[in-house]
């Protein structure tokens, strides 16, 4: 009789132990941090932010070099591009925050030194290479998943980069015979124009041109 009682107690203890182990495992899984469903989206946007940050620092540096060489049109263009890149970085960073992520700008950016003609050429080559790695696949994925916030930020970044390349190429070709050129930048999305070619409203974000920033 005692043997049966002991066996019963051992069996009961073992059963309770198994149940407790299973419950602890399920509870532990629930408390473990789960990966964010937006993790891939946030990484795409963070990559865009970092690229924009680096370009803004580089363009600011090129603008100062152009001023030293008294290349007024190139200096105005580089300043406008730097401002545009910062606006785009801010827009992508805002999208990251809305998705529950966090963006930290690069702590250190290595800038190039050289004459303005070389800096124009270097910038054009960079923009051309960027077109091979721009965000078309990410845009397509985010649009089809319904994440229009991320898709919009990447679409703005892609189309404005192409506009920047065209402006750089025009300046490199010396199309400044009419005098010093000035540029306008939409303060909301970073869209960039020649002063004489600006739209009455930004086609990207519908901002009134009266609010554009002139360089």
């Amino acid at each position: 009789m005692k043997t049966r009682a002991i066996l019963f107690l051992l069996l009961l203890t073992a059963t309770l132990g198994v149940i407790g182990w299973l419950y602890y495992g399920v509870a532990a899984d629930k408390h473990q941090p789960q990966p964010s469903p937006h993790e891939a989206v946030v990484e795409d946007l963070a990559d865009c932010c970092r690229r924009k940050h680096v370009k803004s620092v580089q363009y600011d540096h090129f603008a100062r070099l152009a001023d030293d060489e008294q290349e007024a049109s190139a200096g105005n263009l580089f300043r406008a591009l730097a401002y545009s890149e910062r606006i785009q970085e801010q827009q992508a960073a805002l999208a990251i925050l809305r998705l529950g992520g966090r963006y930290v700008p690069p702590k250190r950016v290595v800038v190039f030194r050289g004459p303005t003609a070389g800096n124009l050429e270097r910038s054009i080559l960079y923009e051309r290479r960027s077109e091979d790695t721009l965000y078309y696949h990410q845009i397509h994925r985010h649009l089809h998943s319904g994440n229009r916030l991320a898709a919009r930020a990447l679409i703005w970044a892609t189309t404005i980069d192409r506009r920047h390349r065209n402006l750089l190429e025009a300046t490199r070709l010396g199309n400044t015979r009419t005098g010093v050129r000035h540029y306008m930048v939409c303060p909301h999305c970073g869209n960039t124009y020649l002063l004489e070619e600006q739209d009455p409203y930004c086609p990207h974000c519908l901002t009134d041109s009266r609010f554009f920033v002139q360089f």
Side-chain angles (χ1 to χ4, degrees):
M1 190 69 178
K2 291 182 179 180
T3 303
R4 289 184 178 180
I6 293 172
L7 289 174
F8 176 77
L9 289 174
L10 290 174
L11 181 60
L12 179 63
T13 302
T15 302
L16 292 175
V18 170
I19 292 173
W21 177 76
L22 291 174
Y23 175 79
Y24 176 79
V26 172
D29 288 340
K30 289 182 178 179
H31 289 89
Q32 285 180 355
Q34 300 297 318
S36 169
H38 301 301
E39 185 175 350
V41 183
V42 167
E43 182 52 39
D44 288 344
L45 291 169
D47 178 67
C48 179
C49 283
R50 288 188 290 267
R51 183 181 300 215
K52 295 299 177 180
H53 181 86
V54 170
K55 285 170 46 172
S56 70
V57 173
Q58 186 70 76
Y59 285 143
D60 272 331
H61 176 65
F62 286 167
R64 290 190 291 270
L65 295 177
D67 290 342
D68 292 340
E69 297 177 32
Q70 298 184 345
E71 293 281 356
S73 291
N76 289 340
L77 175 58
F78 281 131
R79 267 185 292 276
L81 299 187
Y83 179 74
S84 172
E85 299 292 353
R86 284 193 292 272
I87 293 296
Q88 295 172 72
E89 179 188 12
Q90 292 169 8
Q91 287 294 335
L94 180 61
I96 290 174
L97 288 176
R98 289 177 177 175
L99 292 170
R102 182 169 176 264
Y103 164 66
V104 179
K107 294 182 179 179
R108 182 171 179 268
V109 177
V110 177
V111 295
F112 294 96
R113 299 181 182 275
T116 295
N119 293 335
L120 286 168
E121 186 67 31
R122 181 179 291 110
S123 300
I124 292 168
L125 291 174
Y126 181 83
E127 295 293 355
R128 285 177 178 171
R129 286 196 301 269
S130 297
E131 290 190 9
D132 296 331
T133 57
L134 287 177
Y135 306 101
Y136 297 117
H137 295 297
Q138 292 92 325
I139 290 169
H140 179 79
R141 185 171 68 249
H142 300 327
L143 282 175
H144 280 266
S145 67
N147 198 322
R148 300 179 66 86
L149 180 67
R152 184 187 66 180
L154 296 178
I155 288 170
W156 285 358
T158 301
T159 55
I160 294 173
D161 278 351
R162 181 174 287 109
R163 181 182 288 269
H164 286 179
R165 190 198 70 184
N166 293 337
L167 292 171
L168 287 162
E169 288 177 339
T171 301
R172 182 196 61 176
L173 293 173
N175 297 340
T176 58
R177 296 187 182 90
T178 57
V180 176
R181 287 197 165 188
H182 300 274
Y183 300 87
M184 305 293 286
V185 180
C186 173
H188 183 66
C189 70
N191 206 3
T192 310
Y193 302 87
L194 271 169
L195 176 61
E196 60 269 25
E197 296 178 357
Q198 63 177 319
D199 294 318
Y201 291 89
C202 176
H204 288 177
C205 63
L206 307 183
T207 298
D208 193 316
S209 62
R210 291 176 297 175
F211 301 107
F212 289 180
V213 179
Q214 180 174 335
F215 293 87

